[in-house]
Amino acid sequence: KVIWTVLVTILGYASSLPVGEDALCTAEELAKYRIIFTGKWSQTAFPKQYPLYRPPAQWSSLLGVTHSSDYSMWKKNEYASNGVRDFAEKGEAWALMKEIEEAGEKIQSVHGIFSAPAISSGTGQTSTELEAHLRHPLVSFVVRIVPSPDWFVGIDSLNLCEGDHWMDEVSVDLYPYDAGTDSGFTFSSPNFATIPQDTVTEITCSSPSHPANSFYYPKLKILPPIAQVTMVKIKKSQLGLSAPFINLPAKSNEIIDTVS
Amino acid sequence: KVIWTVLVTILGYASSLPVGEDALCTAEELAKYRIIFTGKWSQTAFPKQYPLYRPPAQWSSLLGVTHSSDYSMWKKNEYASNGVRDFAEKGEAWALMKEIEEAGEKIQSVHGIFSAPAISSGTGQTSTELEAHLRHPLVSFVVRIVPSPDWFVGIDSLNLCEGDHWMDEVSVDLYPYDAGTDSGFTFSSPNFATIPQDTVTEITCSSPSHPANSFYYPKLKILPPIAQVTMVKIKKSQLGLSAPFINLPAKSNEIIDTVS
């Protein structure tokens, strides 16, 4: 019994370790989630240089992966892979899908890939399902900000497993990142490669510290979230013939409309 | 034994019936497929008014569904749903996802939704996995042609089940369709609603029969396929920790490059 208590203590500690420390997941083997991405990039919240034409503000497809800590899709302050660069600059997913595939084949660090359709406006929603695995409980994804030089939002290695159970629901506010591969300063900057490549950095209201930057709002302390993601566990009883949508609104921008 | 022979004959006949006649699928309950979409919209094959800028020729996200014959995503010569209209005109997937969800909830005619990332050029590939079910062996999907008024390519109710087994591989050439909701004639026509709405029609080299039409090539007998889709069954032995990509090329436009 003492051993068990110690073990539980260790597990309890381990499950609160930062991701990447290989916290041991002892939940059921598989868990399905619905992931709902909500764009909050409105002209009201982000009036500066808000893109209205050719193209208007919108979001690319969402590309994500469930994986172990042996794989990383992208990481703040590290260099973006070629796949992430292609995706962040052009919304081209192929190279990134190949990288994920190779990580899955070579070191079995990947459980599955998922994607959700693009959103044709700055505010709106998209959704898909994902499956996590006890040895691959981490979720990462990217969504390109369109138009932009190489800006994206995303999640890096969020652990859906909490010790011996899968989280029921998790919501995260998202802020813009710069992939460090294109030196454009504004949403519609022409293509201009960053050589040598820079690391992935968060874009804030004061950094890059230059008035020309599209997200430079010197009067703000922090930017409002430009997007939000919610992952909701799909209960076994809901796993039937149809994939439940967990009472999503009829229109993708309904939530946004009621806020603004 | 006679009864069996008759039954097999009936089944054999049933399985060759056109889709929509509810051919009985007696294969294993579930089958997983990798679906690979290849854009073939090159300037060489489609020189007329080929879109080079703002935006250049590209493909939207792919949105698809596995279903029974009680559901139809879209059908030639029938009216497009509001969801298909939103998707074909703007690449906005939400309304269509909601329609699919409702069909799944109300009449259990849907097994699952799948989507694959957009392609940022006219030639290139995207891919995802789908799951078919013996009571939902039909696949439908749409991909919007970007830019265009309301043009798309897709598949309507392709039956992956062949009597008592799932097909190993199926490839289909794709040709452009007009959703009948926007009266634009060319890739970059301004938005101009068709009132009353027209039915979904195939666009050919001679129809609409007007020289201004972007696909009007009076010297051709038929258009070259503008895209292709391949579905490859994932063998059980391949269902492991990682989802196999079935030896896709490193670059999404590699196949195209060797052709042109």
Side-chain angles (χ1 to χ4, degrees), chain A residues 236-255:
Chain A
K236 283 234 170 102
S237 58
Q238 294 172 330
L239 289 170
L241 288 176
S242 76
F245 266 58
I246 311 176
N247 300 321
L248 296 179
K251 288 182 188 173
S252 75
N253 53 356
E254 213 164 85
I255 291 171

Side-chain angles (χ1 to χ4, degrees), chain A residues 12 14 18 27 31 36 53 63 73 77 94 121 127 139 142 146 150 160 221 223:
Chain A
I36 303 144
Y53 308 105
L63 186 66
M73 190 186 214
N77 299 328
W94 195 262
S121 58
S127 174
V139 174
V142 284
V146 182
D150 61 344
L160 291 174
K221 281 195 175 158
L223 285 177

Side-chain angles (χ1 to χ4, degrees), chain A residues 105-140:
Chain A
E105 281 174 0
K106 282 180 192 156
I107 51 173
Q108 303 211 320
S109 54
V110 165
H111 179 67
I113 299 182
F114 55 91
S115 75
I119 306 173
S120 58
S121 58
T123 61
Q125 294 191 295
T126 191
S127 174
T128 189
E129 278 181 39
L130 63 88
E131 187 180 82
H133 179 272
L134 62 83
R135 285 193 303 279
H136 307 84
L138 310 182
V139 174
S140 296

Side-chain angles (χ1 to χ4, degrees), chain A residues 61 90 92-94 97-98 101 104 108 110-111 113 115-118 120 125-126 136 241-242 245 248-252, chain B residues 61 90 92-94 98 101 104 108 110-111 113 115-118 120 125-126 136 241-242 245 248-252:
Chain A
S61 310
K90 296 179 285 182
E92 182 58 55
W94 195 262
M97 289 198 288
K98 288 294 289 182
E101 171 207 2
Q108 303 211 320
V110 165
H111 179 67
I113 299 182
S115 75
S120 58
Q125 294 191 295
T126 191
H136 307 84
L241 288 176
S242 76
F245 266 58
L248 296 179
K251 288 182 188 173
S252 75
Chain B
S61 312
K90 296 178 285 182
E92 182 58 54
W94 195 262
K98 288 294 288 183
E101 172 207 2
Q108 302 211 322
V110 164
H111 179 66
I113 299 182
S115 75
S120 58
Q125 294 189 297
T126 191
H136 307 83
L241 288 176
S242 76
F245 267 58
L248 296 180
K251 289 183 185 171
S252 74

